[in-house]
Amino acid sequence: MQDINLTDLFVSLTGRLGLNYEFLATGYEAQIWRDGFITTLYLIALLIPVSLVAGLLFAACLTSGRVWLSTPVRAFVEITRNTPTLVQLMFSFLVLNTFVSDLVGGAQNNPLSPFFWVVAVVGLHIAALHAEAIRAGIEAVPASTVEAARGVGFSQLQILQYVQVPLAFRASLPAIVNNLINLVKLTTVGNAIAVSEITYASIMVWTQRDNVVSMMIVILAFFSLINLVVARIGLWVERRLAVPGYGL
Amino acid sequence: MNISADNAIVRLEDVHLSFGQTEVLKGIDLTVNRGDAVSIIGPSGSGKSTILRCINALVQPQSGRITVNRTRVDQLTRESERIALRKRVGIVFQQYNLFPHLTVLDNIVLAPTRILGTDRREAEKLARELLEKVRLAEKANAYPGQLSGGQQQRVAIARALAMKPELVLFDEVTSALDPETVGEVLWVIRDLIRDGMTSILVTHEMRFAEEISDTVVFTENGRIIDQGSPEQIFHSADNPRVRQFVSGLSGRGPVRDGEGI
Ligand SMILES: Nc1ncnc2c1ncn2[C@@H]1O[C@H](COP(=O)(O)OP(=O)(O)O)[C@@H](O)[C@H]1O
Ligand SMILES: [Mg+2]
């Protein structure tokens, strides 16, 4: 088949450069590796909206002026920002997950997978960073603009929705894009709890074949490319949302 | 006198309001009749803005009665009730406070569509009529940041009118403007008042107040210390404080020039 010929060609060409991609010709390892890419992309595709929605909710709580909403979120944001994500993930998986298993009568009944815990921990971690950026943006909206909106008859939620968040989002967009670039990189912590994203899959391959450099080149190129795309999209959104005569 | 109880649209009775320890309103009594224009004048910090904010339920007095067209504003307890009131009472501020990320048209259309549930086409039609009225029809698609202060303030007036309010409160709406754009805003307000819009204006434009007001109210230190027709307040006030104030601020006259040094 054409496909296999191409793979063979690639393997032999890169082989002459001193790189080792022989595993591509096997069924099993190549499959793990391909699934690794897909898992990473899947994680990123889920995490970006999860982090943004949770970040927005956190920011709304932080600026609500209601102590029972802002205090727990503030505590969560502080803990999340100041502790390593890897430790949070271990803690969630080894402690919280075990607790859930006990609660539902054994691990076999526990619907929460390692994949779930990566999405929850990384998503909420980045959400905490988004929340800080958005909160700062919301607080930068002049009190007089908010009062004018109240005077017109908007409810607090409507003011948030139509005035504060649109303005805060514009102001915090550069910070949010930075957070998303970190998010992409942070998906690799999944390998600590055996989520077979790309680094986990690559480690599986290189422990067998001793081709660390060859695998590393691909991983680095892969993440660079994704983040190039994230940054580009960020820039595009920023340009689209730019308001004439408004200095943000 | 033709002041009858039924004709009053706004009535404040013995309104007291404090911010923390500071007593800002110390017993305000004020009646505004339907279709009238009432100007509130007085030194800075005397509570003028606070009176307007009370009428629109943006702040709540500690005691006294406030009635706006049969609604007991002082007794409103839920935010939804206050919102229902604010739909009927427009307010325009010194700093215009337009929504900077929305075009002029969207600034005007947002409240009717989102608060009153008017459909977009109808709201836009009204918005364009209002822009015509404030002489900004050609700026519908501009953003606030591209307009002069006077133009922004006229948009802010159109935004308030888009809710079809029963009365409009103007809080020093020309104080932040360049002198050359004050006139265009006053013109718009004058038109509105001529059309019969009930208006309460806090203003330092004494000549304008004299020209358009049915009643002028003088506040000092949280109290209304004099009120009457423009003629009474500006030309034959008994109260020496009022006489001193109106002569000191009577516009571009020699007294003010002397004071300004
Ligand atoms: N939100 C507030 N908190 C505390 N003090 C306020 C507040 N708003 C107004 N004040 C005080 O109330 C007094 C009257 O204010 P205001 O009604 O704005 O006066 P005016 O409009 O006549 O200049 C001032 O001394 C002002 O400092
Ligand atoms: Mg004021």
Side-chain angles (χ1 to χ4, degrees), chain A residues 160-175:
Chain A
L160 202 63
Q161 183 182 354
Y162 299 125
V163 182
Q164 290 172 296
V165 168
L167 289 173
F169 187 69
R170 283 172 172 83
S172 55
L173 200 55

Side-chain angles (χ1 to χ4, degrees), chain A residues 144 147 150 152-153 162 243-244, chain B residues 53 83 86 97 100-101 114:
Chain A
S144 59
E147 188 178 42
R150 280 217 298 149
V152 175
Y162 299 125
V243 175
Chain B
R53 281 171 166 77
I83 287 170
R86 290 182 199 130
N97 302 321
H101 58 300
R114 301 298 176 174

Side-chain angles (χ1 to χ4, degrees), chain B residues 214-227:
Chain B
D214 296 290
T215 305
V216 178
V217 171
F218 184 89
T219 58
E220 189 171 62
N221 201 9
R223 290 195 174 85
I224 290 177
I225 64 169
D226 203 358
Q227 58 180 306

Side-chain angles (χ1 to χ4, degrees), chain A residues 43-54 130 180 183-184 226 230:
Chain A
L43 273 173
I44 292 168
L46 260 175
L47 275 165
I48 288 178
V50 164
S51 71
L52 287 173
V53 170
H130 290 333
L180 293 181
L183 175 152
V184 168
I226 293 176
V230 170

